[in-house]
């Protein structure tokens, strides 16, 4: 049975890889199986890991406030289903508005506490910091701090929208976008390395598990 | 010669108190280390519920050198007492009972006051510029190349007689970049309706799909062409990341859109989508706040909205004075942060040179715990 599944997995892997040449019936076949089975999987997943435990089972097991608060998400869910009835489809907007409002509210505090404030604190670095007896080491350390501070401040100027980027602001924003692009370049190389390791994993599956060549 | 066994000595003092800045149900127990800490196997914390005569129950244990234990899942309003058992080998010594402690929830997290102050200042700025906008004062916003190209891309696609593909990413409607993407979608849909072009929006999340249907419909209505709106063109594909990527790739090579918009939250599928869009010769405008995916978009698409440029999009595209006021408030806040950075850098540099620890007060004020 395992051999059969290995052949199916290898066949589907090759069918997906065939897209590198051009769109073809093998790719279409694998793509439709993938999209269809993943959509079905997520439907089952949502039922067993969201709707059943968090709504139905929780309704049976909880008492008092914890039980009756479940009426709110249940009503919002039913509101979403009104989209199937064109005459009252507008009711679904209320559920969407609730989700969007909640997301925006949570996003503000999350971004503030998770990114903004820690970033503000991390940028307050001394431009001269004697951390070692070696002057050369101290110079290197201080230069590193200077680059971090300069990169952060000029990158903020790049995202300043209220004035045209000309003159002094233009110079600062150009330095800022240069820092951003250097960071993106490093990130690009790092991520490509990770993708290559994923490819190696798939090639290894074909040559080891399927063809037994390595 | 065999050395005599070491006798366990109890910890000298134990203190219990309600865990600060929490949602309740927790007490923190602190103690001084036992004089024989170096040979201690573990400290076991015992809890007595209600009175000092209650039956002790083990709440947990920590290894030697540790002076703190957090006891969770307690009842708010109930009184608890604690003692610490010092284990040396199989022998133990108990400390005296701690003071009584009562767990409770706190309304305010005092460790996050800096976030509150920043939020209030930003709220004040927003309110001020909203008033300015309402009084009719013109607010300027600079050109953003990626957004200038939106109309061009829709027009080019229409001239070629091809549909427009809008990919709202794999985020959920609670993600801010997805909301920004929906604002851009509205503009694209409006332009598509004006040019009588077809727009296709495959979705990863069913609720984003519902919101996208509303947004596209609104765009068509604003353009005065509700008759052209086709709900079946804004559909759900799959909620699996690479299933979605495979499906969208298939749509690209079969429908051959003239313009592809990649806007929203993207992860590892970003390059797969952008490369396929490039291979079919479509003009591509991407935008995301995912820092690890932006390099791929910059490399493979024609225009990229980097991070906050996406958030500025709705104000930029609509030119609505109220939306523009939010951009103005953000810009003033950015200048404020730069001033804060400069003060902090100056104080930290002075602290490093003089060794005066008191100068760290400004940086420490921003600590979140």
């Amino acid at each position: 049975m395992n051999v059969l599944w290995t052949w199916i997995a290898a066949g589907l892997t090759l069918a997906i890889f065939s897209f590198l040449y051009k769109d073809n019936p093998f790719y279409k076949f694998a793509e439709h199986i993938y999209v269809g089975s993943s959509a079905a999987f997520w439907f089952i997943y949502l039922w067993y890991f969201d709707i059943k435990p968090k709504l139905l089972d929780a309704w049976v097991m909880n008492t008092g406030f914890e039980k009756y608060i479940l009426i709110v998400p249940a009503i919002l869910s039913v509101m979403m289903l009104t989209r199937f009835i064109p005459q009252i489809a507008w009711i679904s907007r209320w559920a969407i508005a609730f989700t969007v409002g909640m997301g925006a509210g949570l996003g503000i505090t999350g971004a503030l506490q998770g990114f903004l404030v820690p970033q503000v604190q991390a940028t307050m670095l001394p431009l001269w910091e004697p951390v070692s007896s070696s002057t050369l080491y101290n110079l290197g350390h201080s230069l590193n701090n200077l680059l971090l501070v300069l990169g952060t401040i000029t990158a903020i100027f790049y995202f300043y929208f209220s004035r045209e980027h000309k003159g002094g602001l233009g110079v600062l924003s150009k330095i800022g976008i240069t820092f951003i692009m250097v960071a993106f370049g490093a990130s690009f190389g790092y991520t490509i390395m990770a993708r290559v390791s994923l490819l190696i994993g798939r090639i290894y599956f074909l040559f080891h598990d399927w063809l037994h060549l390595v | 010669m065999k050395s005599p066994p070491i006798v366990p000595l109890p910890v000298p003092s134990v203190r219990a108190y309600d865990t600060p800045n929490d949602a309740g149900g927790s007490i923190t127990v602190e103690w001084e280390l036992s004089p024989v800490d170096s040979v201690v196997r573990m400290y076991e914390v015992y809890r007595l519920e209600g009175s000092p005569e209650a039956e002790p129950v083990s709440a947990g244990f920590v290894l030697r050198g540790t002076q703190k234990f957090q006891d969770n899942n307690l009842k708010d309003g109930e009184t608890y007492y604690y003692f610490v058992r010092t284990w040396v080998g199989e022998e133990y010594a108990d400390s005296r009972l701690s003071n009584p402690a009562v767990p409770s929830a706190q309304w305010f997290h005092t460790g996050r006051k800096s976030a509150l102050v920043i939020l209030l200042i930003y709220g004040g700025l927003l309110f001020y510029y909203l008033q300015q906008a309402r009084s009719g004062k013109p607010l300027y916003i600079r050109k953003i190349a990626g957004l200038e190209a939106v109309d061009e891309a829709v027009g080019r696609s229409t001239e070629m007689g091809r549909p427009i593909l809008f990919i709202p990413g794999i985020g959920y409607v609670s993600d801010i970049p997805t909301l920004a993407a929906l604002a851009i979608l509205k503009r694209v849909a409006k332009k598509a309706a004006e040019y009588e072009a077809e727009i296709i929006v495959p979705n990863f999340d069913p609720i984003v799909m519902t919101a996208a249907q509303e947004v596209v419909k609104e765009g068509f209505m604003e353009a005065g062409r509700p008759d052209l709106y086709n709900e079946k063109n804004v559909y759900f594909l799959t909620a699996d990341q690479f299933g979605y990527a495979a499906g969208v790739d298939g749509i690209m090579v079969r429908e051959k859109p003239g313009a592809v918009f990649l806007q929203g939250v993207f992860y590892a599928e970003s390059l797969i989508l952008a490369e396929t869009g490039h291979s079919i010769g479509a003009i591509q405008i991407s935008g995301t706040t995912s820092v690890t995916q932006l390099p791929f978009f910059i490399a493979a698409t024609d225009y990229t909205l980097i991070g906050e440029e996406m958030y500025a999009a709705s104000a930029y595209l609509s030119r609505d004075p109220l939306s523009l006021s939010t951009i103005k408030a953000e810009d003033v806040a950015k200048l404020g942060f730069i001033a804060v950075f400069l003060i902090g850098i100056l104080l930290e540099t002075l602290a490093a040179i003089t060794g005066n620890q008191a100068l760290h007060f400004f940086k420490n004020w921003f600590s979140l715990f």
Side-chain angles (χ1 to χ4, degrees):
Chain A
M1 197 64 185
N2 277 342
V3 174
L4 177 69
W5 282 114
T6 304
W7 274 80
I8 290 172
L12 289 171
T13 302
L14 289 175
I16 291 285
F17 276 166
S18 70
F19 186 73
L20 292 169
Y21 170 60
K22 69 174 192 178
D23 190 30
N24 61 74
F26 295 109
Y27 175 75
K28 277 182 194 161
F29 177 72
E31 176 207 326
H32 286 108
I33 285 180
Y34 195 5
V35 172
S37 58
S38 63
F41 169 80
W42 279 103
F43 178 80
I44 300 293
Y45 182 91
L46 285 173
W47 171 258
Y48 279 104
F49 290 93
D50 280 341
I51 301 169
K52 189 171 178 293
K54 291 178 185 171
L55 188 65
L56 303 180
D57 293 350
W59 176 262
V60 174
M61 288 164 67
N62 290 333
T63 54
F65 178 76
E66 287 183 356
K67 181 187 181 93
Y68 293 108
I69 193 71
L70 294 171
I71 293 172
V72 176
I75 289 174
L76 288 170
S77 306
V78 173
M79 281 173 148
M80 287 296 293
L81 296 176
T82 60
R83 292 195 68 78
F84 293 116
I85 310 163
Q87 291 82 2
I88 55 166
W90 56 270
I91 294 174
S92 66
R93 289 182 188 172
W94 288 18
I96 299 169
F98 177 85
T99 318
V100 169
M102 181 203 67
L106 281 175
I108 288 169
T109 50
L112 203 65
Q113 293 173 18
F115 296 106
L116 185 64
V117 178
Q119 182 72 40
V120 168
Q121 203 189 27
T123 309
M124 291 178 195
L125 296 167
L127 297 185
W128 172 252
E129 193 175 22
V131 287
S132 150
S133 55
S134 159
T135 310
L136 196 65
Y137 183 85
N138 289 339
L139 268 175
H141 187 78
S142 302
L143 185 68
N144 191 38
N145 285 0
L146 181 70
L147 281 174
L148 277 168
V149 167
L150 192 68
T152 307
I153 292 176
T154 53
I156 291 176
F157 277 118
Y158 175 76
F159 292 105
Y160 189 79
F161 298 107
S162 297
R163 270 183 63 188
E164 200 66 55
H165 284 181
K166 285 178 183 167
L169 183 62
V171 174
L172 286 170
S173 69
K174 274 207 177 85
I175 298 170
I177 194 68
T178 308
F179 271 103
I180 292 171
M181 288 302 158
V182 169
F184 283 165
S187 172
F188 188 93
Y190 181 77
T191 314
I192 287 291
M193 291 297 287
R195 301 291 162 80
V196 168
S197 67
L198 286 177
L199 177 67
I200 290 168
R202 216 56 215 157
I203 300 287
Y204 182 77
F205 165 75
L206 290 176
F207 281 85
H208 179 78
D209 295 19
W210 183 44
L211 297 174
H212 303 290
L213 292 176
V214 290
Chain B
M1 195 175 131
K2 203 175 172 184
S3 59
I6 297 168
V7 180
L9 293 172
V11 299
S13 66
V14 183
R15 188 168 77 96
Y17 55 89
D18 174 34
T19 305
N21 300 320
D22 71 345
S26 173
I27 283 177
T28 303
V29 185
E30 278 185 0
W31 57 90
E32 286 180 62
L33 293 178
S34 165
V36 292
D37 180 66
S38 59
V39 291
V40 166
R41 184 158 63 89
M42 65 177 180
Y43 293 109
E44 191 169 13
V45 180
Y46 278 84
R47 177 199 319 127
L48 292 85
E49 187 176 336
S51 82
E53 284 78 37
E55 186 66 30
V57 177
S58 175
F61 61 88
V62 290
L63 298 176
R64 64 168 163 262
T66 312
Q67 291 179 273
K68 196 186 256 189
F69 176 81
Q70 199 168 310
D71 192 16
N72 298 318
N73 300 320
L74 304 175
K75 283 182 230 158
D76 281 345
E78 183 63 84
T79 305
Y80 294 92
Y81 298 82
Y82 291 86
F83 68 84
V84 177
R85 177 166 289 175
T86 306
W87 285 91
V88 176
E90 294 308 311
E91 302 291 318
Y92 65 82
D94 288 341
S95 71
R96 282 190 289 185
L97 271 188
S98 72
N99 56 303
V102 181
S104 64
Q106 282 75 50
W107 278 97
F108 292 100
H109 195 306
T110 53
R112 293 177 188 172
K113 58 185 180 300
S114 51
L116 177 68
V117 170
I118 291 170
L119 201 63
L120 288 175
I121 292 172
Y122 179 69
L125 281 172
L126 196 60
F127 184 73
Y128 173 76
Y129 283 106
L130 272 171
Q131 294 303 318
Q132 294 271 305
R134 280 183 181 149
S135 67
K137 191 180 174 189
L139 299 171
Y140 174 79
I141 185 166
R142 74 168 164 86
K143 276 188 178 179
I144 300 172
L147 294 173
E148 289 285 306
V150 168
D151 294 359
E152 178 201 333
V154 176
R156 183 173 172 264
S157 191
T158 311
E159 279 173 12
M160 294 166 79
R162 291 182 183 180
I164 297 149
L165 181 66
F166 192 101
I167 305 163
I170 61 167
Y172 301 97
V173 84
S174 52
D175 293 322
I176 309 289
T178 305
L179 297 179
L182 289 173
I184 297 168
L185 173 61
K186 188 178 168 186
R187 169 70 171 208
V188 174
K190 190 179 169 187
K191 276 287 154 194
E194 283 171 5
Y195 294 151
E196 298 182 8
E198 186 187 12
I199 180 167
I200 302 168
V201 189
N203 288 278
F204 172 83
D205 178 62
I207 300 179
V208 173
M209 177 202 75
T210 315
Q213 284 176 341
E214 291 292 328
V215 162
V216 173
K217 193 176 177 183
E218 216 175 299
F220 275 67
M221 283 171 82
E222 277 185 17
R225 298 304 306 270
D227 54 307
L228 292 178
Y229 171 65
N230 182 3
E231 197 176 82
K232 286 177 182 164
N233 276 348
V234 187
Y235 52 86
F236 172 71
L237 200 59
T238 171
D240 180 82
Q241 183 187 11
F242 288 105
Y244 182 74
V248 173
D249 275 0
I251 293 164
M252 281 191 202
V253 292
R254 273 154 236 153
E255 300 288 340
K256 297 239 178 329
V260 175
F261 291 85
L262 298 130
Q263 303 286 335
V265 176
F266 290 89
Y267 293 101
E269 74 291 345
S270 65
L271 188 59
I272 300 170
L273 298 173
E275 272 299 317
T276 310
H278 178 74
S279 72
I280 57 164
I283 182 168
Q284 297 196 95
I285 302 178
S286 58
T288 185
T289 56
S290 311
V291 178
T292 48
Q293 307 311 319
L294 274 166
F296 298 119
F297 279 158
I298 289 166
T301 66
D302 300 283
Y303 297 94
T304 305
L305 299 174
I306 302 170
E308 209 192 329
E309 286 178 344
M310 252 196 106
Y311 297 148
S314 61
Y316 185 87
L317 292 172
S318 68
R319 297 282 163 178
D320 166 34
L322 294 180
S323 305
L324 286 172
S325 67
T326 63
I327 304 294
K328 189 72 187 170
E330 278 178 23
D331 279 353
V332 174
K334 282 171 207 159
L335 294 180
F337 278 119
I338 290 172
V340 166
F341 289 156
L342 295 176
I343 295 168
I345 290 160
L346 180 71
L347 288 171
E348 286 302 307
T349 307
L350 285 173
I353 293 168
T354 62
N356 185 353
Q357 298 300 309
L359 291 170
H360 293 302
F361 79 94
F362 192 68
K363 185 177 183 177
N364 292 341
W365 188 80
F366 287 93
S367 298
L368 295 175
F369 51 85

